Amino acid sequence: MPGGGAFCAWDFGVKHGDIKVLGSASYAAPLFSTLILVASGAGQADWRIAFACILITGGGVLAAKDLLFAPACREEKTDK
């Protein structure tokens, strides 16, 4: 069920959402799963986990750089 639900959610996002946002947000999945494991006691937080979380977050920011650092006001391009 979790795999099928994830596939359906991804399919819906690709078809109806912004693919750039979806791709950037996908970096959050391993981060959240790691934090849930540590919070539930199934994993132990140490410097390697913190470093991995920093790398994951950096990858997400790098993937979303056009979305995060774009000018606040963009002019619409019109074809004439």
Side-chain angles (χ1 to χ4, degrees):
M1 175 60 189
F7 176 76
C8 289
W10 184 265
D11 185 54
F12 182 83
V14 168
K15 290 179 180 174
H16 302 288
D18 185 352
I19 193 71
K20 291 180 183 179
V21 173
L22 185 62
S24 298
S26 68
Y27 281 84
L31 180 64
F32 288 148
S33 64
T34 302
L35 294 176
I36 289 170
L37 285 172
V38 170
S40 68
Q44 187 172 356
D46 63 357
W47 69 270
R48 293 175 292 186
I49 297 291
F51 186 63
C53 289
I54 290 168
L55 288 176
I56 292 168
T57 304
V61 169
L62 184 62
K65 70 177 188 260
D66 293 339
L67 299 170
L68 296 173
F69 304 115
C73 188
R74 292 185 182 177
E75 292 183 25
E76 295 291 325
K77 293 182 179 180
T78 57
D79 294 329
K80 293 183 181 182

